[in-house]
Amino acid sequence: MLASVYVYSGFHTLRNPAAVAPAAEAVIGKISEKVSPALANTEQAVRVNSAVQLVAGSLLAAGRLPRLSAFALACSLVPTTLAGHRFWKCEDPEERARQQSHFLKNLSMLGGLLVAAADTGGRPSLCWRARYTAGTARREAALVRRTAKFSAPCAKVVGKGLSLPRR
């Protein structure tokens, strides 16, 4: 359900990026200064953003690569929100309230996407797996040391042809 809005808006914006490009100009200009001059064409940047939303939203809805998809959607939602819902620039109180409501809605959706990006679906995280593997390796190395320490005197006795003492 979380993905439906991204699939819908990504599809429609991809078909008509000119409708969104003027609102995105302020944000795209600031991003292209810092990231890449390749984003200088606002309409092209809007197309890329909508394609990310369409693909990642479809993957999230299908349950394929859900963590990566949710993270990609979260990354695309930030500039979309900053460009489309600039309530602090609105003079009209009704328009300001409407834009603020949309801004807060997107902020809540961002929270949901971050939760989905962090969700492991009941499987342990990569950090837990790394710690568990390191702990297992330490325990096995200690066991090998103890076994080698115990086996060394036995190897000397067996090497001389003597039998081991019984306990």
Side-chain angles (χ1 to χ4, degrees):
M1 287 189 277
L2 180 61
S4 62
V5 70
Y6 301 103
V7 173
Y8 179 80
S9 67
F11 176 73
H12 285 287
T13 305
L14 193 59
R15 290 183 66 208
N16 188 13
V20 183
E25 183 64 43
V27 174
I28 297 298
K30 289 180 183 178
I31 291 174
S32 66
E33 288 173 7
K34 296 178 182 173
V35 176
S36 170
L39 291 177
N41 181 352
T42 304
E43 203 167 300
Q44 187 65 27
V46 168
R47 277 193 186 106
V48 168
N49 189 50
S50 61
V52 167
Q53 288 183 348
L54 179 62
V55 171
S58 298
L59 287 172
L60 184 63
R64 301 288 182 199
L65 302 170
R67 294 174 75 188
L68 181 63
S69 301
F71 182 71
L73 287 171
C75 290
S76 78
L77 184 61
V78 172
T80 300
T81 302
L82 292 175
H85 305 297
R86 301 169 69 89
F87 68 90
W88 55 90
K89 298 268 185 174
C90 295
E91 299 294 328
D92 180 31
E94 287 181 21
E95 181 64 19
R96 176 184 280 257
R98 188 172 26 262
Q99 291 302 327
Q100 190 172 19
S101 174
H102 287 298
F103 183 89
L104 293 173
K105 172 198 57 106
N106 282 9
L107 191 61
S108 346
M109 290 175 63
L110 177 64
L113 288 170
L114 293 177
V115 167
D119 181 31
T120 60
R123 292 183 301 270
S125 69
L126 293 177
C127 292
W128 183 90
R129 290 179 201 182
R131 284 193 309 267
Y132 181 80
T133 302
T136 302
R138 279 193 299 275
R139 284 189 302 279
E140 289 181 6
L143 179 62
V144 167
R145 276 193 309 272
R146 284 193 306 269
T147 304
K149 186 177 178 180
F150 175 75
S151 298
C154 294
K156 283 183 186 178
V157 170
V158 172
K160 292 182 182 180
L162 303 173
S163 63
L164 292 173
R166 294 186 180 208
R167 293 184 184 212

